[in-house]
Amino acid sequence: MTVDAILGLAEAGGCPRDLVGGKAANLAEMTSAGFPVPGGFCVTTAAYRQVLSEGDGPGLLEELIRVPDGDPESLVKQAGRLWAHALSVPIPAWLETGIVEAYERLSQGEPVAVAVRSSSTAEDLPDASFAGQYDTFLDIRDAEEVLAAVRRCWASLWSDRATRYRAAHGLDRAPAIAVIVQRLVDAECAGVLYTANPVSGNRSEIIVDAAPGLGEAVVSGAVTPDHHRLTVDGESLEGPDDGCLAPAQLGELVAVGRRLEKHFGAPQDVEWAFNGEGELWLTQSRHITTLFPVPESEGEPRAYWSVNVYQGISRPFTPMGASMIRERQRGMAVYMSALGFSDEIIDVDGWLYWDITDGVRSPAKRPKMAAFVESLAAPSGKLVEQLGRDPRFPSVPSGSEQDAPPKKRRRRWERMIPAWLWPDQARARVVREAEQRIAAFSGPAEATAEERLSFVESVRRSACRIEANLPRDANTAGGTGGQLAGQLLRGYVDDAEVATVFRGIPHNPTTEMDLALWRAASAIRRDDEAFRLLLDTAPDELAAKQLAGTLPEVIQSGVAAFLADYGCRATSEIDFGVPRWTDDPEPVFAMLVNLLRAEGEEQDPQTRFEQAAAAAEARIVELTRRLPVTKLHRAILARFLLRRSRRLRGLREFPKFCLMRGFASLRAQLLIIGEEIVRAERLDRAEDVMFLDLAEVREALDSRDFRVAVARRRETWERESRRPRVPSVLLSDGTAPALESASDGGDLSGLAAAAGVATGPARVVHDPNTARIEPGEILVAATTDPGWTPLFLTAAALVTETGGMISHGTTVAREHGIPAVVGVPGATARIRTGQVITVDGSAGVITFAEAAGEPR
């Protein structure tokens, strides 16, 4: 028998997790720290690996590893073969004898009931608990039963549910598993303790579920437990007075829970039991993996608004991306501070927040803050208003200087009037200045790494603040012209009708990007060989061929031309650290394939765009004719302003496009610097510079080795990237407030962001880089940014969980002429792919089609 096949539970302390698994490692650590843990032993992963190496095991494992990504059914099928192997392969005699002897030592010659539980290497992780994924066997009373239960724990590593869970979390396909055998507590009352509320996220509440007998009944859901909600001081907020736990026992649980949280440094999910003598035993403690990270704060409650949600990205920022967006937002600090936002952005594990407490508490600032955030990321504004009524956020005394509203800047009519009179010249001036500024960011072609870094440091501020530094009069005139026209038409035309004249807007770089991709797809469609190649080849393989220059000419040149103009863009592009399409064109090929499936003139975005522009002109005439002859002067002025506004509104997306071009130039320089640091063996990959900030890049160039630090940051970034959603508003106690009026079922409602009605099957998309949207499907997403908009070319409508009237996604949806409803809480969970829905972008309502045998 090998020395590490079986260990006493206390001996497992300090052993590598890949030897004893997560559960045993935690229990051993708890034992060493003096927590009351039942005695037992661990059948380590070395024993499991020995068993797996018998017979067909190695071949079956190799086949599982080779299953292609994105094929969960084949993965589950192959895992089933390993499950059967674990149940049937003979256990070596030496191992069988070792397990029996360990059980006999535990029982001291007398039959003793034990629990046999799995302890996988992929279990009780900070971001994946694997709760309930592996098997547990209770009340096992002899050696033969112990051997059978150990074997079944091994097999549970390959169950359907565990295999799918690992795939969903992007974890190791081929983990190992240890098994814990522990004395079974003769429980009089048992259950689960959460040191933070796992539902609301509130860190100031403790939850205890308890039931008579074994805790497995609570964990499995076999009984309805006593439910206690307490403060961290043990004060009862909710719970029965006649439950199985006495008040003193609840207090003991609260105290041990707080000790465990302090010991492990994070909120804990704890399984516990009181025996007949009233002794408390702990049988498990692990991180609560669903809690969203919260900025550290002390004192009175604080409220935060998510920069990620505001920017339309649902994954954390890279460290370099966070530092760049901080610089960008400093250019807006005066304006944002006047609305009640904190001066600086807070970073927690890549999730960025503004502290909005001052704005929430100010009666003067709150309405302006609410309107601002609602326009960008509904329903954040409603949540701000709701918090203003929350007694935890009392209003600041009226009349104070900080309560004074920001002074209104006088509109510079003398500059907007020329823009209305000569819109093309006004737009051209903005473009010329932008080109001059962007040219200054291109950097040296030949230089040392130190010189390149000095260049990046010298232009960083200008590049990050280009949006604020560009002339804004023409852009302002485009938006103001439409507003003034609406006022002139008021009483005869409503706002929704005015919005219909802003479809098919020219000169919007995001819309132009989408149409350029469509033209590339159309050229490829006319070449049968190229067309079939694109449809039959995986996007990652096409991307590799593009970078190698080996694709057919119509594809190679078409994609190269597209990347020359728009390769600076990407999904989540506001994060400087994210690869651009030039770096990795795989998403471009995925979108091209998507567009190649759209056939027929009715699916031609170029035609639809031109028709929308013609219809908008006709609509201007029709709306302004509603005014009576006595108001002819108003009708003429409104018609003039609407036409001029159309010619200028494309500038709405232009500053962001310029920012992306500047980012791409600086990224190129930093990646070259990264190559130099790799050669010096202080980073593993050039792109690792995106997990540093500029000051650290200089340290790395000098002498500091950042490989360990980057690996740790990457691990955190990858863990946080797997979170299913980002709350737009978060409180310092961890609570993500919900709208008081949120619908519990039936039809869904949100912000009417783009007029029109469309009915079709839903397509819920979490990653646009690999999405497939069939013509006529309705795109449902948590959020969108410009990198998503090529999907709009085939989508019939858009539904998002966040977004506002002036966010990038809704602006482009209006210009493409597809209905959009945004700010729909929980849309990606409440709508299923394939479900037929109707999106009314004029009313802001999503309705569900009746389906046979399916509740509405």
Side-chain angles (χ1 to χ4, degrees), residues 25 73 145 218 220 344 347 369 381 483 509 525 541 615 664 690 784:
E73 297 311 315
E145 288 185 359
V218 175
S220 67
E344 284 291 327
D347 183 347
M369 173 184 279
Q483 295 170 3
R525 184 184 285 109
E541 186 177 343
M690 301 306 162
T784 62

Side-chain angles (χ1 to χ4, degrees), residues 168-192:
H169 285 75
L171 298 173
D172 184 4
R173 286 189 179 184
I177 192 167
V179 180
I180 305 166
V181 180
Q182 275 181 292
R183 283 181 173 272
L184 184 68
V185 178
D186 185 13
E188 185 172 272
C189 184
V192 182

Side-chain angles (χ1 to χ4, degrees), residues 698-716:
R698 183 161 291 285
E699 290 181 54
L701 271 180
D702 290 341
S703 60
R704 185 175 170 187
D705 188 336
F706 275 95
R707 286 175 291 188
V708 173
V710 165
R712 185 174 61 251
R713 293 174 189 180
R714 271 193 182 275
E715 182 180 0
T716 299

Side-chain angles (χ1 to χ4, degrees), residues 822-847:
V822 302
V824 184
T828 58
R830 301 174 70 178
I831 300 173
R832 300 189 307 276
T833 292
Q835 197 170 20
V836 177
I837 61 175
T838 296
V839 177
D840 187 336
S842 302
V845 175
I846 298 107
T847 56

Side-chain angles (χ1 to χ4, degrees), residues 313-330:
I313 65 172
S314 55
R315 61 183 181 183
F317 279 83
T318 60
M320 186 66 75
S323 71
M324 291 294 186
I325 200 171
R326 275 201 184 96
E327 185 59 54
R328 174 185 185 263
Q329 299 305 130
R330 288 185 188 115

Side-chain angles (χ1 to χ4, degrees), residues 41 100-114 141-143 181 183:
F41 62 91
V100 170
E101 290 177 349
Y103 172 70
E104 290 174 346
R105 285 194 298 272
L106 186 65
S107 63
Q108 297 180 342
E110 297 291 331
V112 61
V114 294
R141 293 183 175 270
D142 63 43
V181 180
R183 283 181 173 272

